[in-house]
């Protein structure tokens, strides 16, 4: 990781082990066995389950890990564009994993709700605790709709290897965010 990146992105032993497990994935998570991953990198099944609840939780770990460094800061310490820029830059470090591992996995509704829920909680915290904004039905609708849409866009871009160039991706995401939500998290 380059200079200026927050501590904890790659410099933690826990993170390095999780990445090592992720990097052992060479086909869709639907087609791989935990025992095969463990054999490939020389760890026990118990060690695997110390880091991941299941093979399917591999998919969401990296986006949730990098979320806490930049994307969570939108509306707190940075604007939408800056947050997306750094978040997408970090997500792209593992683009090969997403292309290989998520070909079929995300067809299960239970797997599709993990990141939107995590993202919604973070945005609610920002709106309520940092911005001190009272949430009405319209803002909640924008929030609920956006976390699903944002996750779907990012998942499809990385799964299908169709991520636009970084700055273009940032601009597209910021442009389609609901105006009410975008304005509520604006850094003035």
């Amino acid at each position: 990781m380059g200079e200026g990146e927050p501590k904890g992105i790659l410099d933690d032993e826990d993170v390095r082990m999780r990445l090592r497990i992720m990097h052992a994935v060479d086909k869709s998570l639907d087609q791989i066995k935990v025992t095969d991953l463990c054999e490939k990198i020389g760890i026990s099944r118990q060690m695997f389950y110390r880091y991941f609840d299941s093979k399917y939780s591999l998919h969401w770990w990296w986006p949730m890990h990098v979320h806490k460094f930049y994307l969570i800061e939108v509306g707190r310490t940075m604007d939408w564009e800056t947050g997306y820029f750094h978040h997408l830059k970090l997500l792209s470090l593992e683009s090969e994993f997403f292309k290989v591992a998520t070909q079929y996995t995300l067809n299960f509704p239970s797997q599709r709700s993990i990141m939107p829920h995590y993202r919604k909680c973070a945005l609610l915290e920002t709106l309520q605790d940092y911005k001190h904004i009272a949430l009405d039905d319209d803002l909640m609708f924008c929030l609920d709709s956006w976390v699903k849409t944002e996750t779907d866009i990012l998942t499809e871009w990385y799964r299908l290897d169709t991520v636009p160039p970084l700055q273009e991706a940032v601009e597209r995401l910021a442009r389609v965010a609901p105006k009410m939500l975008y304005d509520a998290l604006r850094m003035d």
Side-chain angles (χ1 to χ4, degrees):
M1 186 59 34
E3 283 184 39
E5 294 295 353
K7 187 168 178 54
I9 291 179
L10 296 174
D11 59 356
D12 177 280
E13 184 59 38
D14 179 76
V15 171
R16 286 193 298 270
M17 177 54 81
R18 288 174 187 263
L19 284 170
R20 195 168 147 220
I21 294 168
M22 270 180 59
H23 294 159
V25 173
D26 59 2
K27 55 188 165 191
S28 173
L29 292 172
D30 296 322
Q31 300 172 348
I32 202 163
K33 295 179 184 172
V34 170
T35 52
D36 295 337
L37 290 174
C38 294
E39 260 180 42
K40 191 171 181 179
I41 61 170
I43 63 170
S44 67
R45 285 174 51 87
Q46 291 80 10
M47 175 74 83
F48 175 89
Y49 288 111
R50 186 178 308 154
Y51 292 98
F52 295 101
D53 294 337
S54 75
K55 65 183 181 179
Y56 296 108
S57 60
L58 284 162
H59 172 78
W60 294 114
W61 173 75
W62 184 250
M64 289 170 58
H65 175 66
V66 300
H67 175 269
K68 65 188 173 192
F69 294 98
Y70 291 108
L71 204 52
I72 199 169
E73 293 299 320
V74 171
R76 297 179 185 187
T77 63
M78 62 183 62
D79 61 37
W80 286 85
E81 290 78 3
T82 304
Y84 278 135
F85 180 86
H86 292 291
H87 183 71
L88 294 174
K89 197 167 144 187
L90 290 175
L91 273 182
S92 293
L93 293 175
E94 297 303 328
S95 60
E96 279 304 310
F97 169 80
F98 294 116
K99 281 189 293 193
V100 170
T102 60
Q103 291 309 305
Y104 306 103
T105 305
L106 298 176
N107 292 328
F108 299 104
S110 63
Q111 291 299 314
R112 294 181 70 97
S113 65
I114 294 169
M115 190 64 190
H117 175 75
Y118 183 80
R119 183 79 170 114
K120 179 180 179 178
C121 290
L123 287 170
L124 281 171
E125 181 180 334
T126 302
L127 289 165
Q128 294 172 324
D129 298 346
Y130 290 81
K131 293 294 199 171
H132 308 289
I133 293 174
L135 297 163
D136 61 15
D137 289 342
D138 287 339
L139 187 54
M140 277 305 298
F141 179 77
C142 287
L143 176 64
D144 284 332
S145 300
W146 181 240
V147 297
K148 292 172 189 162
T149 302
E150 178 187 67
T151 301
D152 283 347
I153 291 168
L154 293 173
T155 299
E156 288 304 298
W157 279 354
Y158 283 96
R159 185 174 72 85
L160 299 174
D161 193 24
T162 58
V163 182
L166 184 57
Q167 193 56 46
E168 183 181 330
V170 167
E171 291 167 5
R172 284 184 184 180
L173 284 168
R175 190 170 46 243
V176 298
K179 182 174 178 7
M180 180 181 274
L181 182 61
Y182 186 95
D183 289 346
L185 296 173
R186 186 180 295 276
M187 296 295 297
D188 293 326

